[in-house]
């Protein structure tokens, strides 16, 4: 897999354009974080205190975040949840059949759906999440959650093979 080109959102972007632009930036950066890893490294969990936090596990979690908050909550789509309420680490686990390619493809597919959902959404509407929330407020939650886990991905990657960077 070759690194993907990424760019910062235009400095003259509206708030909505900036949120979508930074979600794209985080998405591309997360995908680029697994570039150069082999299948074993991509599954590695180098943090003893977080035994399911691998590069692929973090990307699976980001996929689940988009599915839950963007497709299901904002878009009202009847898609299966990628969470399990009885297992908070479920979406971080990598199954034996999953590969770098399959996890990235699922993340890309979810992001493609997310972009359409965001284009169609009324950002000022109130939706029912864990509590009533304005769509634009929920989107900032998704952005902060994604950026926070991108930081985890930076750390995990550095611990696996020393690679640093954004």
């Amino acid at each position: 897999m070759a690194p993907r080109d990424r760019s910062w959102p235009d400095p003259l972007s509206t708030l909505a354009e900036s949120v979508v632009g930074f979600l794209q930036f985080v998405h591309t950066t997360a995908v680029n974080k697994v570039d150069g890893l082999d299948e074993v490294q991509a599954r590695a969990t180098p943090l003893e205190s977080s035994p399911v936090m691998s590069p692929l596990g973090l990307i699976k979690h980001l996929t689940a975040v988009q599915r839950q908050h963007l497709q299901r909550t904002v878009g009202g789509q009847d898609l299966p949840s990628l969470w399990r309420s009885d297992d908070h680490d479920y979406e971080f686990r990598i199954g034996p059949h999953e590969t770098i390619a399959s996890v990235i493809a699922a993340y890309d597919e979810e992001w493609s759906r997310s972009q359409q959902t965001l284009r169609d959404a009324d950002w000022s509407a109130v939706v029912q999440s864990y509590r009533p929330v304005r769509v634009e407020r929920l989107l900032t939650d998704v952005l902060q959650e994604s950026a926070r886990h991108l930081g985890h991905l930076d750390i995990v990657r550095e611990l696996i093979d020393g690679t640093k960077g954004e």
Side-chain angles (χ1 to χ4, degrees), residues 85-119:
S85 61
D86 64 331
D87 183 354
H88 295 291
D89 292 334
Y90 174 77
E91 75 277 3
F92 283 93
R93 289 194 184 91
I94 305 301
H97 64 285
E98 293 177 296
T99 64
I100 294 169
S102 71
V103 170
I104 296 299
Y107 188 40
D108 286 345
E109 184 179 325
E110 205 64 41
W111 175 236
S112 180
R113 260 196 300 277
S114 293
Q115 290 175 80
Q116 185 61 51
T117 297
L118 294 172
R119 281 191 293 274

Side-chain angles (χ1 to χ4, degrees), residues 45-75:
T45 57
L47 294 169
E48 188 175 318
S49 60
S50 297
V52 295
M53 192 179 292
S54 69
L56 289 183
L58 284 158
I59 290 173
K60 272 188 70 174
H61 175 72
L62 292 174
T63 304
V65 166
Q66 285 186 31
R67 169 70 59 90
Q68 185 64 35
H69 298 302
L70 301 183
Q71 273 59 264
R72 291 171 51 94
T73 301
V74 173

Side-chain angles (χ1 to χ4, degrees), residues 23 42 84 92 101-103 105 124 126 133 138 144 152-153 163-164:
L23 284 169
R84 281 191 34 194
F92 283 93
S102 71
V103 170
S124 64
V126 174
V133 62
L138 183 59
Q144 85 69 36
H152 295 142
L153 190 49
T163 298
K164 297 179 184 180

Side-chain angles (χ1 to χ4, degrees), residues 1-38:
M1 180 185 89
R4 297 178 181 182
D5 289 332
R6 67 186 177 128
S7 57
W8 291 89
D10 186 314
L12 299 177
S13 297
T14 65
L15 179 59
E17 291 165 342
S18 294
V19 168
V20 173
F22 276 112
L23 284 169
Q24 175 67 62
F25 184 86
V26 167
H27 178 90
T28 303
T29 305
V31 170
N32 285 348
K33 278 288 166 188
V34 300
D35 179 53
L37 294 177
D38 62 30

